[in-house]
Amino acid sequence: MNKRKKILKIAAAITSFVLIGAVLFFVNAFFGNPVSYFLAGYSVNQYIEENHPDSDFEIDGISYFFDSTKYSVKIISPSSKDSHFIIKTDFFGQIQYNSYETDVLKMENTKERINGEYCELVSSVLASPVFAYETGFAYSKVNFYEDDSVTSDKTGVIFSDELILDKAYDMKYVGSKAGCVILEVYDEVTVENAAEILKKTKLLLSAADITFNSIEFILRERCIDDPINEKYIRIDEFPEAFIDS
């Protein structure tokens, strides 16, 4: 009997170890582990000291992504709103990815900030009751472009090498230079109505002191019974300067 109890205790202990191991494996796989979190932070702090010794970069948070089994470390600069980037490490703290060059040096953060500010202004009109059309979508974007000798005369864009980190940009300049309104309206499909909607859109944005360079516009007529033969008018990157005429 004692032998049977001993066997049961051993079996229970083995089962407990297996269950604990399974739980730890699950937690580690989906949530990471404290040691790897520490190693990620340690490696990134070393990277900052070695590569940006004169900066005020600091770690703003560490996240674990189970799908890629990587630790994502967010680095920010309290003195620079455009100077933030991501470094990803593996379980052992080895750096696998660094977005500094793209996000900061190539101005992706600056582009995103400018685009966000401009889109918020346009949405304040297109998403408000003053814009009394039924829309499928109504938003905007700022067109940026990489500079090279072939496209240096390209219009309707802001070239990346013109951008300045942390600069506060005049949204009227940004809009007139490279702002693009993207709009889908459900209404009667005629050329005359399309022209009227374009004029009305420009008038409402202008009244809010918002400029734009071009518009991508779709006018559709709802046709639930026969969507294949739905009537529509589509205009791609139509210049704002041509709308009134």
Side-chain angles (χ1 to χ4, degrees), residues 9-141:
K9 285 183 179 180
I10 293 173
I14 292 173
T15 302
S16 297
F17 280 121
V18 171
L19 289 174
I20 291 171
V23 170
L24 290 176
F25 175 82
F26 175 84
V27 171
N28 183 72
F30 286 90
F31 302 101
N33 64 79
V35 174
S36 293
Y37 272 99
F38 170 80
L39 291 174
Y42 180 78
S43 293
V44 170
N45 275 321
Q46 276 196 317
Y47 162 84
I48 293 172
E49 290 177 7
E50 292 172 4
N51 295 275
H52 306 283
D54 298 324
S55 74
D56 60 352
F57 284 141
E58 61 185 45
I59 293 176
D60 190 46
I62 303 175
S63 304
Y64 175 70
F65 293 90
F66 73 88
D67 56 340
S68 63
T69 65
K70 296 289 190 300
Y71 291 82
S72 180
V73 184
K74 183 178 180 182
I75 297 96
I76 64 169
S77 166
S79 63
S80 172
K81 57 188 172 184
D82 291 341
S83 296
H84 53 88
F85 58 103
I86 296 293
I87 289 179
K88 293 183 181 180
T89 71
D90 60 17
F91 278 106
F92 306 102
Q94 298 296 314
I95 293 176
Q96 305 289 308
Y97 171 78
N98 184 348
S99 70
Y100 175 76
E101 181 176 353
T102 299
D103 292 346
V104 181
L105 297 184
K106 292 186 177 180
M107 299 289 181
E108 287 303 317
N109 291 338
T110 307
K111 294 176 189 176
E112 184 177 342
R113 173 174 60 85
I114 294 171
N115 192 71
E117 291 177 11
Y118 180 71
C119 290
E120 187 175 350
L121 287 174
V122 174
S123 293
S124 69
V125 173
L126 299 186
S128 71
V130 71
F131 192 77
Y133 293 103
E134 181 187 1
T135 60
F137 49 76
Y139 60 100
S140 61
K141 64 178 180 178

Side-chain angles (χ1 to χ4, degrees), residues 17-18 33 37 42 57 71 88 107 127 142 144 163 171 180 182 184 197 206 226 239-240:
F17 280 121
V18 171
N33 64 79
Y37 272 99
Y42 180 78
F57 284 141
Y71 291 82
K88 293 183 181 180
M107 299 289 181
V142 178
F144 296 101
L163 298 175
M171 287 299 113
C180 180
I182 303 168
E184 179 185 59
I197 294 171
S206 180
D226 190 12
E240 177 272 345

